[in-house]
Amino acid sequence: MRKLSVLALGAVAAFAMSTLASAAPGGNGDGGPPLPPGATQVSENVYYLGKKRVDGVELEGYAFVLRAKAHSAKGQGPTGGRKPGRGSCYQLIGYPAWTSAEPWYVNTSNAPVSSMQSSMDAGIGAWESASGADIFGSGSPDNSAHAYTTADGKNVVEFGNAGGGGIVAVTYVWGSRRTAIFEWDMIFGSNWGWSNGGSSTTFDFLDVATHELGHAAGLDHPANACTEETMYAYVDFGETKKRDLNVGDIDGINALY
Protein backbone atom coordinates (compact mmCIF):
# COMPACT_ATOMS: atom_id res chain seq x y z
CA MET A 1 0.00 0.00 0.00
CA ARG A 2 1.40 3.37 -0.97
CA LYS A 3 2.37 5.96 1.62
CA LEU A 4 1.03 9.48 1.17
CA SER A 5 3.29 12.51 1.59
CA VAL A 6 1.56 15.61 2.96
CA LEU A 7 1.46 18.55 0.56
CA ALA A 8 -0.18 21.89 1.29
CA LEU A 9 -2.50 21.81 -1.71
CA GLY A 10 -6.15 22.76 -1.29
CA ALA A 11 -8.70 21.80 1.31
CA VAL A 12 -10.71 18.65 1.77
CA ALA A 13 -14.15 18.97 0.15
CA ALA A 14 -16.99 19.23 2.64
CA PHE A 15 -19.07 16.15 2.01
CA ALA A 16 -20.80 14.42 4.94
CA MET A 17 -20.63 10.69 4.28
CA SER A 18 -20.20 7.63 6.44
CA THR A 19 -17.10 5.41 6.49
CA LEU A 20 -17.41 2.70 3.86
CA ALA A 21 -16.72 -1.01 4.11
CA SER A 22 -14.98 -2.87 1.28
CA ALA A 23 -17.39 -3.85 -1.47
CA ALA A 24 -16.82 -6.02 -4.51
CA PRO A 25 -18.22 -5.22 -7.97
CA GLY A 26 -21.90 -5.84 -8.54
CA GLY A 27 -24.82 -3.92 -10.05
CA ASN A 28 -26.82 -1.71 -7.71
CA GLY A 29 -30.14 -2.57 -9.33
CA ASP A 30 -31.20 0.96 -10.35
CA GLY A 31 -29.36 1.31 -13.65
CA GLY A 32 -26.29 2.82 -12.02
CA PRO A 33 -22.78 1.42 -11.48
CA PRO A 34 -21.76 -0.91 -8.65
CA LEU A 35 -21.58 1.35 -5.60
CA PRO A 36 -21.10 0.96 -1.83
CA PRO A 37 -23.89 1.89 0.60
CA GLY A 38 -24.32 5.64 1.00
CA ALA A 39 -22.80 6.62 -2.34
CA THR A 40 -24.51 9.53 -4.07
CA GLN A 41 -24.60 10.95 -7.58
CA VAL A 42 -22.95 14.37 -7.61
CA SER A 43 -23.14 15.14 -11.33
CA GLU A 44 -23.96 13.44 -14.60
CA ASN A 45 -22.00 10.16 -14.71
CA VAL A 46 -20.08 10.91 -11.50
CA TYR A 47 -20.79 9.38 -8.07
CA TYR A 48 -19.30 10.29 -4.69
CA LEU A 49 -18.25 7.18 -2.74
CA GLY A 50 -17.56 8.80 0.62
CA LYS A 51 -14.48 8.91 2.83
CA LYS A 52 -11.98 6.37 4.10
CA ARG A 53 -8.94 6.87 6.36
CA VAL A 54 -5.76 5.13 5.15
CA ASP A 55 -2.31 5.55 6.71
CA GLY A 56 -3.69 8.39 8.78
CA VAL A 57 -4.89 10.29 5.70
CA GLU A 58 -8.56 10.89 4.92
CA LEU A 59 -9.32 9.83 1.37
CA GLU A 60 -12.36 10.55 -0.79
CA GLY A 61 -13.60 8.34 -3.59
CA TYR A 62 -15.43 8.93 -6.85
CA ALA A 63 -16.88 6.60 -9.49
CA PHE A 64 -16.68 7.83 -13.08
CA VAL A 65 -19.08 6.23 -15.53
CA LEU A 66 -18.65 5.87 -19.30
CA ARG A 67 -21.94 5.17 -21.06
CA ALA A 68 -22.94 4.03 -24.52
CA LYS A 69 -23.70 7.01 -26.74
CA ALA A 70 -27.33 5.95 -27.12
CA HIS A 71 -27.76 6.77 -23.41
CA SER A 72 -26.34 10.31 -23.63
CA ALA A 73 -28.39 13.12 -22.13
CA LYS A 74 -29.11 14.96 -25.35
CA GLY A 75 -29.61 18.67 -25.11
CA GLN A 76 -28.10 18.98 -21.67
CA GLY A 77 -25.39 21.46 -20.81
CA PRO A 78 -21.99 20.81 -19.25
CA THR A 79 -21.55 17.83 -16.96
CA GLY A 80 -23.05 18.65 -13.57
CA GLY A 81 -23.59 22.25 -14.69
CA ARG A 82 -19.84 22.83 -14.73
CA LYS A 83 -17.92 24.60 -17.46
CA PRO A 84 -14.40 23.68 -18.56
CA GLY A 85 -11.69 25.97 -17.22
CA ARG A 86 -10.63 28.93 -19.35
CA GLY A 87 -12.56 27.74 -22.38
CA SER A 88 -10.65 24.43 -22.63
CA CYS A 89 -12.37 21.05 -22.89
CA TYR A 90 -11.06 19.48 -19.72
CA GLN A 91 -12.08 19.08 -16.09
CA LEU A 92 -9.87 17.94 -13.20
CA ILE A 93 -11.05 15.67 -10.39
CA GLY A 94 -9.43 17.99 -7.86
CA TYR A 95 -6.70 15.75 -6.47
CA PRO A 96 -3.00 16.64 -6.86
CA ALA A 97 -1.17 14.38 -9.31
CA TRP A 98 0.37 11.02 -8.50
CA THR A 99 3.59 11.50 -6.53
CA SER A 100 5.12 8.25 -7.84
CA ALA A 101 4.39 5.60 -10.45
CA GLU A 102 2.73 2.50 -8.97
CA PRO A 103 2.19 -1.08 -10.15
CA TRP A 104 -1.19 -2.17 -11.43
CA TYR A 105 -2.75 -5.57 -12.06
CA VAL A 106 -4.80 -7.12 -14.86
CA ASN A 107 -7.37 -9.82 -14.20
CA THR A 108 -7.97 -11.53 -17.54
CA SER A 109 -10.14 -14.37 -16.24
CA ASN A 110 -13.30 -12.95 -17.87
CA ALA A 111 -11.66 -10.94 -20.65
CA PRO A 112 -13.37 -11.22 -24.07
CA VAL A 113 -10.36 -9.62 -25.80
CA SER A 114 -6.75 -10.69 -26.15
CA SER A 115 -3.76 -8.47 -25.37
CA MET A 116 -5.64 -6.72 -22.57
CA GLN A 117 -2.44 -5.72 -20.80
CA SER A 118 -0.68 -4.47 -23.94
CA SER A 119 -3.72 -2.33 -24.76
CA MET A 120 -3.57 -0.82 -21.29
CA ASP A 121 0.12 -0.12 -21.87
CA ALA A 122 -0.75 1.64 -25.14
CA GLY A 123 -3.35 3.79 -23.39
CA ILE A 124 -0.86 4.68 -20.68
CA GLY A 125 1.63 5.61 -23.38
CA ALA A 126 -0.79 8.14 -24.84
CA TRP A 127 -1.15 10.00 -21.52
CA GLU A 128 2.51 9.79 -20.55
CA SER A 129 3.68 10.92 -23.97
CA ALA A 130 1.38 13.94 -23.88
CA SER A 131 2.50 14.94 -20.38
CA GLY A 132 6.15 13.94 -20.52
CA ALA A 133 5.65 12.37 -17.08
CA ASP A 134 5.94 8.85 -15.71
CA ILE A 135 2.38 8.66 -14.35
CA PHE A 136 1.71 4.92 -14.15
CA GLY A 137 3.91 2.04 -13.10
CA SER A 138 4.20 -1.40 -14.67
CA GLY A 139 1.29 -3.77 -15.12
CA SER A 140 1.28 -7.50 -14.45
CA PRO A 141 -1.29 -10.32 -14.62
CA ASP A 142 -3.09 -11.34 -11.43
CA ASN A 143 -6.33 -13.25 -11.79
CA SER A 144 -6.81 -13.24 -8.02
CA ALA A 145 -6.99 -9.42 -7.98
CA HIS A 146 -10.33 -7.62 -8.23
CA ALA A 147 -11.58 -4.09 -8.72
CA TYR A 148 -13.28 -2.80 -5.58
CA THR A 149 -15.46 0.19 -4.84
CA THR A 150 -13.29 1.18 -1.90
CA ALA A 151 -9.54 1.68 -1.43
CA ASP A 152 -7.51 -1.46 -0.73
CA GLY A 153 -4.09 -0.24 -1.90
CA LYS A 154 -4.11 -2.17 -5.20
CA ASN A 155 -4.81 -0.79 -8.70
CA VAL A 156 -6.78 -3.40 -10.67
CA VAL A 157 -8.49 -3.66 -14.05
CA GLU A 158 -10.93 -6.43 -14.97
CA PHE A 159 -14.10 -7.32 -16.85
CA GLY A 160 -17.26 -7.78 -14.82
CA ASN A 161 -20.64 -6.31 -13.94
CA ALA A 162 -20.24 -2.56 -14.58
CA GLY A 163 -23.90 -1.84 -13.85
CA GLY A 164 -26.95 -0.99 -15.94
CA GLY A 165 -28.22 2.08 -17.76
CA GLY A 166 -25.90 1.70 -20.73
CA ILE A 167 -22.72 1.70 -18.64
CA VAL A 168 -19.75 0.49 -20.67
CA ALA A 169 -17.06 0.93 -17.99
CA VAL A 170 -16.56 2.52 -14.59
CA THR A 171 -13.39 3.71 -12.84
CA TYR A 172 -13.12 4.26 -9.09
CA VAL A 173 -10.55 6.82 -7.98
CA TRP A 174 -9.50 7.48 -4.38
CA GLY A 175 -7.34 10.37 -3.28
CA SER A 176 -6.84 13.33 -0.98
CA ARG A 177 -7.17 16.96 -1.97
CA ARG A 178 -4.31 17.66 0.45
CA THR A 179 -1.92 15.05 -0.90
CA ALA A 180 -2.34 13.04 -4.10
CA ILE A 181 -4.26 10.31 -5.91
CA PHE A 182 -4.10 7.09 -3.90
CA GLU A 183 -5.67 4.34 -5.99
CA TRP A 184 -7.76 3.43 -9.03
CA ASP A 185 -9.80 0.40 -10.05
CA MET A 186 -11.57 -0.25 -13.37
CA ILE A 187 -14.44 -2.50 -14.42
CA PHE A 188 -15.24 -3.03 -18.10
CA GLY A 189 -18.78 -4.26 -18.72
CA SER A 190 -18.73 -7.96 -19.61
CA ASN A 191 -22.31 -7.73 -20.95
CA TRP A 192 -21.11 -5.83 -24.05
CA GLY A 193 -19.35 -7.03 -27.18
CA TRP A 194 -15.66 -6.09 -27.25
CA SER A 195 -12.91 -6.18 -29.83
CA ASN A 196 -9.43 -4.85 -30.52
CA GLY A 197 -10.71 -2.40 -33.11
CA GLY A 198 -12.71 -2.01 -36.29
CA SER A 199 -16.02 -3.74 -35.48
CA SER A 200 -19.17 -1.63 -35.77
CA THR A 201 -21.02 -3.85 -33.29
CA THR A 202 -18.48 -3.89 -30.45
CA PHE A 203 -16.60 -1.45 -28.26
CA ASP A 204 -12.90 -1.03 -28.90
CA PHE A 205 -10.99 -1.97 -25.75
CA LEU A 206 -8.09 0.45 -26.29
CA ASP A 207 -10.51 3.28 -27.01
CA VAL A 208 -12.33 2.76 -23.72
CA ALA A 209 -9.19 1.92 -21.73
CA THR A 210 -7.53 5.20 -22.74
CA HIS A 211 -10.58 7.09 -21.46
CA GLU A 212 -10.60 5.20 -18.16
CA LEU A 213 -6.87 5.78 -17.66
CA GLY A 214 -7.52 9.51 -17.93
CA HIS A 215 -9.63 9.23 -14.77
CA ALA A 216 -6.90 7.22 -13.08
CA ALA A 217 -4.47 10.02 -13.93
CA GLY A 218 -6.76 12.66 -12.36
CA LEU A 219 -9.14 13.87 -15.08
CA ASP A 220 -12.92 14.20 -14.81
CA HIS A 221 -15.36 14.36 -17.74
CA PRO A 222 -15.39 17.64 -19.68
CA ALA A 223 -18.53 19.51 -20.70
CA ASN A 224 -20.98 17.52 -22.82
CA ALA A 225 -20.25 19.85 -25.74
CA CYS A 226 -16.67 18.49 -25.83
CA THR A 227 -17.59 15.44 -27.89
CA GLU A 228 -14.18 15.00 -29.55
CA GLU A 229 -12.23 14.62 -26.32
CA THR A 230 -11.00 11.25 -25.07
CA MET A 231 -12.53 12.17 -21.71
CA TYR A 232 -16.02 12.79 -23.17
CA ALA A 233 -18.40 10.71 -21.05
CA TYR A 234 -20.02 8.71 -23.88
CA VAL A 235 -18.71 6.12 -26.35
CA ASP A 236 -20.09 4.54 -29.52
CA PHE A 237 -19.76 1.10 -31.09
CA GLY A 238 -16.73 0.87 -33.36
CA GLU A 239 -15.32 4.15 -32.06
CA THR A 240 -11.52 4.46 -31.94
CA LYS A 241 -10.98 8.23 -31.67
CA LYS A 242 -10.47 8.07 -27.89
CA ARG A 243 -7.20 6.20 -28.54
CA ASP A 244 -5.65 9.54 -29.50
CA LEU A 245 -5.82 12.52 -27.17
CA ASN A 246 -7.51 15.74 -28.27
CA VAL A 247 -6.52 19.32 -27.38
CA GLY A 248 -8.58 19.44 -24.18
CA ASP A 249 -7.21 16.10 -22.99
CA ILE A 250 -3.65 17.30 -23.54
CA ASP A 251 -4.34 20.60 -21.79
CA GLY A 252 -5.84 18.73 -18.85
CA ILE A 253 -3.04 16.21 -18.35
CA ASN A 254 -0.47 19.00 -18.59
CA ALA A 255 -2.36 20.98 -15.97
CA LEU A 256 -1.63 18.10 -13.59
CA TYR A 257 1.84 16.86 -14.61
Side-chain angles (χ1 to χ4, degrees):
M1 184 174 290
R2 75 192 300 254
K3 300 290 184 180
L4 295 173
S5 59
V6 177
L7 305 174
L9 293 173
V12 176
F15 290 103
M17 302 292 290
S18 60
T19 301
L20 302 176
S22 179
N28 65 7
D30 64 359
L35 296 172
T40 57
Q41 185 170 359
V42 294
S43 64
E44 185 184 339
N45 297 314
V46 181
Y47 298 77
Y48 181 66
L49 304 179
K51 298 178 180 180
K52 182 179 178 70
R53 184 165 291 275
V54 178
D55 290 341
V57 177
E58 187 172 68
L59 304 176
E60 291 182 296
Y62 289 89
F64 299 92
V65 169
L66 179 68
R67 296 185 192 270
K69 193 173 181 180
H71 291 259
S72 63
K74 297 179 180 178
Q76 289 193 12
T79 302
R82 297 170 299 181
K83 295 182 179 180
R86 299 183 182 275
S88 298
C89 274
Y90 74 86
Q91 182 76 32
L92 306 181
I93 295 175
Y95 301 143
W98 285 96
T99 56
S100 61
E102 288 197 356
W104 47 276
Y105 302 91
V106 179
N107 185 328
T108 62
S109 57
N110 294 313
V113 293
S114 60
S115 305
M116 187 175 169
Q117 184 170 329
S118 62
S119 292
M120 290 288 292
D121 285 332
I124 286 172
W127 291 108
E128 293 188 339
S129 176
S131 65
D134 185 15
I135 303 171
F136 299 93
S138 299
S140 58
D142 185 349
N143 285 355
S144 68
H146 293 286
Y148 291 99
T149 62
T150 190
D152 67 349
K154 198 169 187 178
N155 309 306
V156 179
V157 53
E158 68 174 330
F159 277 87
N161 179 8
I167 296 176
V168 177
V170 56
T171 293
Y172 307 96
V173 181
W174 288 85
S176 167
R177 296 178 190 274
R178 290 181 179 271
T179 54
I181 303 172
F182 177 83
E183 181 187 332
W184 58 264
D185 287 288
M186 296 176 190
I187 302 174
F188 294 79
S190 56
N191 57 310
W192 300 99
W194 293 87
S195 69
N196 287 316
S199 172
S200 62
T201 59
T202 61
F203 290 111
D204 176 62
F205 181 74
L206 176 54
D207 184 80
V208 175
T210 305
H211 171 94
E212 300 307 317
L213 284 162
H215 292 310
L219 296 177
D220 198 339
H221 299 131
N224 280 347
C226 301
T227 59
E228 297 305 305
E229 306 304 318
T230 294
M231 296 311 297
Y232 176 57
Y234 298 92
V235 63
D236 208 350
F237 291 112
E239 177 190 288
T240 58
K241 65 183 179 182
K242 285 182 170 58
R243 291 180 172 193
D244 301 309
L245 306 188
N246 203 24
V247 175
D249 304 310
I250 295 170
D251 287 345
I253 201 65
N254 278 286
L256 277 170
Y257 297 90

